[in-house]
C-alpha cells in the first residue's frame, strides 16, 4: 500500500515536470559528452587576457574569434591551417585570439614559430580559461560580436569548420 505522503510527493514531482516552466527542451547531447557552458547571447567572461609574450590583450571593438585549441591536436592543427588559408586573417575588423588548453608559454612560442601564426596566443596551462566555456573537446570556436556577446560556438573536429565562421 502506498502511503499518503508518498502520493503527495509523487504528484508534486510529476506536476513540476509537466509545468510550463519545465516544458522547454534541453539542447541535444553531443555523442561524445561535450558540453558548452556559454551560449549565443551570453557575454564572454574575459575582457582581457595575457598573450604568450606577456602583453595584455584587450578584446577589441569589432568581431572576435576565440579558438580554444591544443598544439598537439590534429583537429586543432587542421582548423588553424584552414584559418590561415581563409579570408578571415585579412579582415582588419576581426580580432583572433587562440587559447592553448593545457599548454605552457614556451610550448606555444615554439608552436607559433613552427606553425607560422601571427595572431595572439594565450597559454591556459591549468584550464582556468577553457573550463569556463566547455568541459572537453577541441578545437572550440567562439564567435563574439562587437559587444563581446556570443554569436555562435562550434566544435571543430570536422574538416571545413572555418567555412561556418560567419557573423
Amino acid at each position: 500500500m502506498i502511503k499518503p505522503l508518498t502520493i503527495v510527493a509523487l504528484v508534486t514531482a510529476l506536476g513540476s515536470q509537466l509545468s510550463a516552466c519545465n516544458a522547454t527542451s534541453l539542447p541535444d547531447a553531443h555523442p561524445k559528452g561535450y558540453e558548452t557552458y556559454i551560449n549565443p547571447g551570453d557575454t564572454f567572461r574575459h575582457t582581457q587576457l595575457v598573450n604568450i609574450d606577456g602583453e595584455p590583450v584587450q578584446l577589441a571593438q569589432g568581431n572576435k574569434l576565440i579558438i580554444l585549441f591544443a598544439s598537439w591536436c590534429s583537429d586543432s592543427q587542421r582548423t588553424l591551417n584552414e584559418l590561415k588559408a581563409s579570408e578571415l586573417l585579412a579582415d582588419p575588423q576581426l580580432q583572433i585570439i587562440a587559447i592553448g588548453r593545457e599548454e605552457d608559454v614556451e610550448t606555444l612560442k615554439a608552436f607559433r614559430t613552427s606553425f607560422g601564426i601571427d595572431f595572439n596566443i594565450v597559454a591556459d596551462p591549468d584550464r582556468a580559461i577553457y573550463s569556463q566555456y566547455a568541459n572537453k573537446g577541441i578545437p572550440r570556436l567562439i564567435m563574439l560580436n562587437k559587444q563581446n556577446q556570443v554569436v555562435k560556438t562550434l566544435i571543430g573536429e570536422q574538416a571545413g569548420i572555418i567555412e561556418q565562421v560567419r557573423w
Side-chain angles (χ1 to χ4, degrees):
M1 176 169 200
I2 300 176
K3 295 181 180 181
L5 190 53
T6 304
I7 292 172
V8 170
L10 261 166
V11 170
T12 302
L14 182 58
S16 71
Q17 293 304 311
L18 296 175
S19 74
C21 294
N22 291 321
T24 48
S25 61
L26 296 172
D28 291 336
H30 190 281
K32 293 186 177 180
Y34 299 159
E35 294 178 26
T36 302
Y37 304 141
I38 192 163
N39 300 299
D42 291 348
T43 300
F44 194 70
R45 295 177 186 108
H46 290 83
T47 57
Q48 179 177 310
L49 299 160
V50 176
N51 69 18
I52 57 175
D53 297 315
E55 301 166 343
V57 178
Q58 298 281 345
L59 268 60
Q61 295 297 314
N63 292 332
K64 276 96 29 201
L65 174 61
I66 309 296
I67 304 169
L68 305 171
F69 80 104
S71 63
W72 51 263
C73 171
S74 61
D75 291 330
S76 292
Q77 292 173 9
R78 183 189 60 249
T79 297
L80 291 170
N81 277 327
E82 288 177 8
L83 176 62
K84 290 186 330 185
S86 77
E87 297 174 4
L88 294 172
L89 288 182
D91 183 348
Q93 304 301 315
L94 177 63
Q95 180 181 25
I96 301 170
I97 302 170
I99 301 172
R101 186 189 83 180
E102 297 176 29
E103 300 273 6
D104 63 37
V105 169
E106 294 309 314
T107 301
L108 289 174
K109 283 182 177 183
F111 180 75
R112 174 179 62 187
T113 300
S114 69
F115 223 70
I117 294 174
D118 63 351
F119 44 84
N120 277 304
I121 301 176
V122 174
D124 185 21
D126 59 359
R127 285 186 174 212
I129 299 168
Y130 180 89
S131 63
Q132 294 185 44
Y133 302 105
N135 68 333
K136 59 182 178 177
I138 48 175
R140 295 285 190 129
L141 291 81
I142 304 172
M143 291 170 278
L144 306 176
N145 65 17
K146 294 173 184 176
Q147 294 77 34
N148 295 332
Q149 293 175 321
V150 176
V151 173
K152 187 184 215 181
T153 63
L154 298 166
I155 300 173
E157 291 186 330
Q158 70 278 2
I161 195 68
I162 293 298
E163 295 170 13
Q164 296 180 42
V165 176
R166 301 283 178 256
W167 278 263

